[in-house]
């Protein structure tokens, strides 16, 4: 992988669009993979970013409906609810030996991706950010509103691809992202889950931003954090519930989880990938998670796999 890797972005939404724009602004060749209508808008108008951290700027990107040539890395930034359909845009034969870097919610997707692509090339990553795509078309292109005062990425993968991960992390860092390569996949994925699950379930269940959730529903937030931490520990990950609570207090009060935004827009929720995965792990390890189970049930908790969370 060169110092200026060519990067494909599967799903130029709130996360993918922000990363694509930052990499493009930093001088990288970026190919966004999306539906034809979105790809056409991207080719014509590019991506517009509105960000307190990075400033307001526009960036041009290439765009297509499927990957047609080798790249250095393919970042997968779709919602888990559309993952299966989206992966048809990235043929294993065309992908070759490119890194597959999922920036997805949940903890179960790496196994799914390793069944489709060369297992050692799948390098799971986590991202901590609040970013959403707010508009497409009308001459503005794809518009990304980045609300959090930070954008942090952890990458983890096999030792054989570590030099390439280091290069990708350096590229992201040069683009303005706080990026690092870590050694423990379980710790990385559950570290994200420990923060995301309480945030997503609580804000979506009550329809409030994090500022209200962390005050009005503080006891439930603390219970969710404790339950998620205990499940993470049972899965072999270190846990820092106090750190998770402190991070919620750093978020802008108006910040919303992506699940909450999906609920407001009438889109399918990533309830199975987040709440369902947490409940399945809790059941495997015999960990009681009553508050999590109640919120998942109240959110309509029938997962995509047909499980009913009673």
């Amino acid at each position: 992988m060169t110092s200026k890797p060519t990067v494909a972005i599967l799903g130029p939404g709130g996360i993918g669009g922000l990363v694509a724009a930052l990499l493009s602004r930093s001088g990288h060749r970026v190919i966004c993979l999306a539906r034809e209508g979105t790809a056409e808008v991207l080719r014509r108008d590019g991506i517009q970013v509105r960000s307190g951290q990075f400033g307001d700027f526009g960036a041009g990107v290439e765009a297509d409906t499927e990957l047609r040539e080798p790249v250095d890395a393919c970042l997968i930034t779709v919602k888990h609810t559309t993952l299966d359909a989206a992966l048809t845009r990235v043929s294993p034969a065309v992908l070759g030996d490119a890194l597959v870097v999922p920036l997805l919610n949940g903890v179960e997707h790496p196994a799914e991706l390793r069944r489709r692509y060369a297992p050692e090339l799948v390098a799971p990553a986590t991202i901590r950010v609040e970013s959403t795509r707010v508009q497409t078309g009308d001459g503005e292109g794809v518009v990304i509103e980045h609300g959090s005062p930070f954008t942090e990425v952890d990458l983890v993968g096999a030792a054989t691809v570590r030099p390439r991960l280091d290069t990708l992390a350096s590229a992201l860092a040069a683009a303005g992202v706080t990026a690092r390569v870590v050694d423990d996949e379980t710790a990385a994925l559950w570290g994200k889950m420990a923060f995301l699950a309480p945030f997503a379930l609580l804000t979506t269940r009550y329809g409030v931003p994090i500022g209200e959730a962390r005050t009005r529903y503080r006891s439930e937030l603390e219970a969710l954090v404790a339950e998620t931490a205990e499940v993470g520990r049972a899965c072999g990950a270190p846990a820092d519930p106090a750190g998770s609570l402190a991070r919620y207090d750093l978020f802008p009060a108006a910040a919303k989880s992506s699940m909450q935004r999906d609920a407001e827009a009438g889109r399918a929720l990533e309830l199975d990938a987040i709440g369902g995965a947490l409940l399945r792990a809790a059941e495997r390890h015999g960990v009681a998670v009553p508050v999590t189970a109640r919120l998942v049930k109240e959110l309509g908790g029938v997962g995509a796999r047909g499980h009913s969370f009673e």
Side-chain angles (χ1 to χ4, degrees):
M1 186 182 293
T2 65
S3 59
K4 290 282 188 181
T6 297
V7 178
I9 304 282
L10 177 61
I15 302 298
L18 176 65
V19 174
L22 290 171
L23 286 171
S24 176
R25 184 172 70 162
S26 187
H28 294 269
R29 184 178 177 219
V30 177
I31 305 170
C32 291
L33 305 174
R35 292 189 294 267
E36 178 54 47
T38 301
E40 181 181 351
V41 170
L42 284 164
R43 288 191 292 264
R44 185 185 69 227
D45 301 321
I47 300 172
Q48 304 296 319
V49 174
R50 302 167 183 164
S51 168
Q53 182 182 10
F54 301 115
D56 296 354
F57 67 96
V61 295
E62 298 178 41
D64 209 332
T65 56
E66 63 182 272
L67 187 66
R68 303 180 192 274
E69 62 181 277
V71 292
D72 293 300
C74 179
L75 275 55
I76 300 177
T77 55
V78 297
K79 294 293 178 67
H80 202 281
T81 52
T82 63
L83 179 61
D84 288 344
L87 290 178
T88 63
R89 304 185 188 280
V90 183
S91 159
V94 176
L95 188 69
D97 67 348
L99 290 178
V100 178
V101 184
L103 288 163
L104 299 176
N105 293 327
V107 294
E108 297 175 336
H109 57 272
E112 182 177 348
L113 292 169
R114 286 175 176 134
R115 286 191 291 269
R116 181 178 178 87
Y117 303 106
E120 69 277 7
L121 295 177
V122 175
T126 63
I127 185 166
R128 291 173 292 277
V129 68
E130 189 217 8
S131 184
T132 185
R133 190 170 87 185
V134 295
Q135 187 174 345
T136 302
D138 296 330
E140 284 196 285
V142 169
V143 179
I144 305 296
E145 285 193 353
H146 169 222
S148 59
F150 51 80
T151 306
E152 302 169 350
V153 171
D154 288 346
L155 301 154
V156 57
T160 53
V161 298
R162 181 65 181 252
R164 299 168 66 191
L165 284 175
D166 288 336
T167 299
L168 181 58
S170 296
L172 289 167
V177 177
T178 300
R180 62 177 182 165
V181 179
V182 299
D183 296 322
D184 189 331
E185 180 175 317
T186 299
L189 292 174
W190 276 98
K192 171 69 177 288
M193 178 73 102
F195 174 80
L196 175 66
F199 179 31
L201 296 175
L202 198 64
T203 58
T204 307
R205 169 62 182 86
Y206 294 112
V208 298
I210 188 60
E212 187 170 349
R214 68 193 177 205
T215 52
R216 184 176 176 185
Y217 302 102
R218 187 76 179 191
S219 62
E220 285 182 75
L221 177 61
E222 291 174 350
L224 287 167
V225 168
E227 290 178 2
T228 308
E230 188 172 353
V231 176
R233 284 193 200 97
C235 292
D240 179 18
S244 292
L245 286 169
R247 185 174 287 274
Y248 297 126
D249 291 330
L250 292 176
F251 257 67
K256 298 179 178 181
S257 67
S258 60
M259 185 187 288
Q260 181 185 357
R261 292 187 183 278
D262 286 340
E264 291 173 348
R267 295 187 290 263
L269 304 184
E270 290 187 297
L271 189 60
D272 187 63
I274 299 171
L278 182 54
L279 293 184
R280 286 188 287 274
E283 183 177 8
R284 284 196 304 272
H285 294 282
V287 177
V289 288
V291 178
T292 302
R294 175 176 60 80
L295 290 183
V296 171
K297 182 178 180 180
E298 290 172 355
L299 284 166
V302 177
R305 293 174 174 80
H307 298 292
S308 180
F309 307 123
E310 297 298 339

